[in-house]
């Protein structure tokens, strides 16, 4: 690991300004992703700005009947929160399907949204990777692609986003609250937060340099029955091959988003009108335009079946 300076910010705006001032600076929250990447020298920040003391660890009701989740709320606390379990069950279930108890105790809401891909070539510094080194090339294209994306890919990158929590937040229409280095705040709809790779796969989100996430907001509860179905290579402690977050209502209408298939949580609102007709009908629109390799083509069938399982789970 390369040497780095460490500082604690006193306010969110001060933290944002500190990172904006130094192009080699990064925020650190739980450290469960960033420190791993620093040990491998995939990320080499010269300065870490610790945001743990910024009092961003509260979950509070909003004026419009929703919830405001502080950026520093730990995944364990969010999954266990009574309001989340009652009204946003899909989020609680998605969180509990991720990582391990120990990791969830450290992992934060903002850090989880910003975790980097688990593409094996991204982690192997001997192999070219456009996300790690822009312009270097993509080792996955033409390489081993079993875990890679089938939707929204580009000639530059076919990596998936690994977060389970983000898939649930997409189905709930969350908003990401931020503060910029000049103190200005904004809310980015989760649908626009993660980017598709295009020809700049190293730019993963809508955040500007130094922009700090302060909270994630959930609109008022949508009701319905919630389910999160995750398919992975072993029962725990593994990232999704495919996952499904769904909310279903009595009349058959609802919402659905997929994880493990794209560079961002994958939701196509137009597909949801087919929910009363079953998983196959939904999958037809949701997976339209998919581009597979011989190794990851199974994800299309898996997604349709996982969708069917999640819908059955939500109705049970
Ligand atoms: C073995 C293992 C298994 C895992 N399995 C899963 C899984 O199955 N599903 C899943 O979803 N996740 C899984 N994870 C990922 C884990 O959930 C993430 O590592 C964690 O959520 C990251 O949160 P953190 O607070 O530790 O982030 P950090 O490591 O502290 O930070 C991650 C990134 O976010 C940035 N950041 C942090 N806070 C802010 C902020 N407020 N504003 C702006 N930028 C910020 C940091 O600069 C850094 O770039 C796993 C991790 C490990 C190590
Ligand atoms: S898929 Fe993306 S992350 Fe993986 S090697 Fe290619 S450019 Fe890198």
């Amino acid at each position: 690991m390369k040497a780095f300076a460490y500082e604690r910010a006193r306010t969110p705006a001060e933290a944002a300004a500190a990172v904006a001032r130094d192009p080699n600076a990064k925020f650190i929250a739980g450290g469960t992703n960033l420190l791993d990447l620093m040990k491998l020298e995939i990320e080499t920040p010269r300065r870490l700005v610790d945001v743990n003391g910024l009092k961003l660890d509260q979950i509070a009701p909003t004026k419009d009947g929703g919830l405001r989740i502080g950026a520093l709320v730990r995944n364990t606390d969010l999954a266990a929160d009574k309001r989340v379990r009652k009204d946003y069950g899909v989020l609680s279930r998605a969180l509990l399907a991720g990582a391990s108890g120990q990791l969830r105790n450290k992992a934060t809401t903002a850090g989880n949204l910003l975790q980097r891909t688990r593409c094996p070539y991204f982690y192997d510094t001997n192999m070219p990777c456009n996300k790690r080194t822009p312009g270097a090339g993509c080792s996955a294209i033409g390489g081993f692609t079993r875990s890679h994306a089938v939707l929204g890919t580009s000639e530059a990158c076919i990596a998936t986003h690994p977060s389970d929590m983000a898939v649930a937040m997409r189905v709930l229409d969350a908003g990401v609250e931020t503060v910029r280095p000049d103190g200005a705040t904004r809310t980015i709809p989760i649908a626009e937060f993660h980017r598709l790779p295009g020809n700049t796969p190293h730019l993963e989100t809508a955040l500007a340099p130094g922009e700090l996430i302060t909270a994630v907001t959930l609109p008022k509860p949508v009701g319905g029955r919630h389910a999160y179905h995750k398919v992975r290579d072993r029962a725990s402690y593994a990232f999704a091959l495919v996952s499904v977050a769904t909310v279903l209502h009595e009349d058959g209408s609802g919402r659905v988003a997929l994880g493990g298939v794209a560079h961002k949580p994958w939701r196509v609102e137009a597909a949801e009108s087919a929910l009363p007709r079953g998983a196959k009908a939904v999958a037809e629109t949701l997976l339209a335009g998919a581009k597979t390799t011989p190794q990851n083509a199974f994800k299309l069938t898996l997604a349709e079946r996982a969708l069917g399982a999640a819908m059955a789970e939500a109705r049970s």
Side-chain angles (χ1 to χ4, degrees):
M1 189 191 280
K2 299 246 194 264
F4 58 88
Y6 170 88
E7 64 188 70
R8 292 191 180 104
R10 283 171 304 180
T11 65
E14 188 183 290
V19 168
R21 245 190 331 268
D22 181 350
N24 290 314
K26 285 207 80 123
F27 303 114
I28 184 160
T32 60
N33 190 219
L34 183 56
L35 287 177
D36 279 355
L37 293 167
M38 287 171 67
K39 286 182 206 158
L40 294 167
E41 297 190 358
I42 293 166
E43 301 247 30
T44 52
R46 300 286 165 80
R47 178 177 299 275
L48 289 185
V49 177
D50 190 337
V51 295
N52 283 284
L54 299 182
K55 300 189 174 57
L56 301 174
D57 55 359
Q58 301 298 311
I59 306 175
T62 61
K63 275 190 258 158
D64 62 3
L67 273 188
R68 185 174 184 275
I69 302 157
L72 267 289
V73 172
R74 307 286 155 176
N75 287 179
T76 298
D77 297 329
L78 186 57
D81 185 273
K82 281 190 184 144
R83 295 157 293 188
V84 175
R85 290 178 59 190
K86 177 172 163 287
D87 293 326
Y88 305 97
V90 64
L91 177 58
S92 184
R93 286 168 200 176
L95 284 159
L96 293 175
S100 65
Q102 291 93 333
L103 282 160
R104 292 194 296 269
N105 289 343
K106 288 298 285 179
T108 62
T109 304
N112 190 289
L113 286 178
L114 292 169
Q115 62 179 292
R116 311 289 311 270
T117 183
R118 292 283 159 170
C119 169
Y121 298 107
F122 174 75
Y123 282 81
D124 183 348
T125 50
N126 294 309
M127 302 296 286
C129 167
N130 286 323
K131 191 182 276 298
R132 187 169 15 84
T133 314
C138 171
S139 302
I141 296 176
F144 182 67
T145 51
R146 183 171 176 273
S147 64
H148 288 78
V150 294
L151 290 154
T153 55
S154 73
E155 296 296 310
C157 181
I158 57 168
T160 58
H161 194 273
S163 168
D164 289 294
M165 183 192 78
V167 187
M169 287 187 167
R170 178 68 179 93
V171 95
L172 292 170
D173 281 333
V176 183
E177 271 186 25
T178 70
V179 60
R180 298 204 221 200
D182 64 0
T185 58
R186 64 169 173 157
T187 300
I188 308 167
I190 189 84
E192 292 160 27
F193 184 75
H194 293 105
R195 296 164 55 119
L196 288 178
N199 56 11
T200 53
H202 59 293
L203 303 176
E204 296 173 340
T205 68
L207 293 177
E211 192 166 1
L212 176 81
I213 299 178
T214 48
V216 171
T217 50
L218 299 178
K220 68 178 184 201
V222 287
R225 308 279 296 264
H226 294 213
Y228 188 75
H229 193 86
K230 176 173 177 179
V231 186
R232 47 191 157 179
D233 281 328
R234 55 184 185 198
S236 72
Y237 211 51
F239 291 90
L241 285 169
V242 166
S243 70
V244 181
T246 190
V247 175
L248 284 190
H249 300 288
E250 290 282 324
D251 63 3
S253 67
R255 304 168 175 207
V256 64
L258 296 179
V261 294
H263 210 246
K264 60 191 286 184
W266 195 257
R267 182 175 174 199
V268 179
E269 276 83 345
E272 292 167 1
S273 58
L275 274 165
R277 287 188 282 126
K280 200 173 174 51
V282 178
E284 213 164 272
T285 307
L286 195 56
L287 304 175
K291 205 170 157 201
T292 60
T293 68
Q295 288 156 2
N296 70 11
F298 75 96
K299 284 196 176 188
L300 298 187
T301 316
L302 191 62
E304 186 188 315
R305 291 186 183 163
L307 192 52
M311 288 166 69
E313 194 181 315
R315 288 198 190 102
S316 65

